[in-house]
């Protein structure tokens, strides 16, 4: 019954910005560290960013540091990923994820996955 629903993906040119949203339902939202992962065609799903339960602790993959910003609004059960200065290498399906882990989120401890939203960055 738990659902994570992503939105905000699209086709943009290099240098553009997108803001992804993930709305969680039937989930005790503030009990979960939230994260974003992405998966390009033929590649393994990789970590992009995460945010702690209170929204104060964040982490980013080196490839997106300085360009992406994660945030959450616990009152709205929503986590966001602001993506700026997008590059063709950012092209992937972006997945929202939730874990009960209080320290890290990784593919092996994700409790719930969203179905993903496509981000395509043209050159």
């Amino acid at each position: 019954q738990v659902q994570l629903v992503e939105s905000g993906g699209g086709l943009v040119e290099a240098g553009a910005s997108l803001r992804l949203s993930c709305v969680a339902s039937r989930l005790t939202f503030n009990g979960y560290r939230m994260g974003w992962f992405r998966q390009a065609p033929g590649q393994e799903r990789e970590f992009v960013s995460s945010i702690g339960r209170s929204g104060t602790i964040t982490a980013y993959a080196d490839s997106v540091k300085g360009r992406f910003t994660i945030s959450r609004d616990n009152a709205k059960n929503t986590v966001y990923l602001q993506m700026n200065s997008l590059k063709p290498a950012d092209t992937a399906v972006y997945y929202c994820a939730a874990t009960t882990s209080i320290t890290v989120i990784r593919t092996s401890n994700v409790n719930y996955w969203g179905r993903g939203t496509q981000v395509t960055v043209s050159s």
Side-chain angles (χ1 to χ4, degrees):
Q1 296 298 315
V2 171
Q3 289 190 353
L4 304 177
V5 181
E6 304 96 334
S7 63
L11 172 62
V12 298
E13 296 181 354
S17 297
L18 285 172
R19 191 190 196 200
L20 306 183
S21 298
C22 171
V23 179
S25 62
R26 303 185 69 82
L27 180 71
T28 305
F29 189 70
N30 63 1
Y32 289 82
R33 169 173 286 271
M34 302 298 297
W36 290 95
F37 293 74
R38 66 188 183 187
Q39 188 167 22
Q43 298 191 332
E44 191 171 293
R45 191 168 299 185
E46 66 175 355
F47 169 79
V48 175
S49 185
S50 67
I51 187 165
R53 294 177 298 169
S54 69
T56 58
I57 306 299
T58 59
Y60 299 91
D62 288 343
S63 59
V64 306
K65 284 181 180 176
R67 299 188 297 119
F68 291 11
T69 303
I70 191 170
S71 61
R72 68 191 292 166
D73 186 340
N74 286 351
K76 296 181 178 179
N77 282 13
T78 302
V79 61
Y80 305 94
L81 185 68
Q82 178 67 46
M83 306 186 296
N84 297 328
S85 301
L86 283 162
K87 306 174 181 179
D90 296 317
T91 295
V93 176
Y94 283 70
Y95 296 92
C96 181
T99 181
T100 54
S101 172
I102 61 173
T103 55
V104 297
I105 190 167
R106 54 185 182 268
T107 56
S108 60
N109 69 18
V110 168
N111 298 104
Y112 303 104
W113 291 101
R115 290 189 177 274
T117 185
Q118 178 71 49
V119 172
T120 302
V121 184
S122 66
S123 59

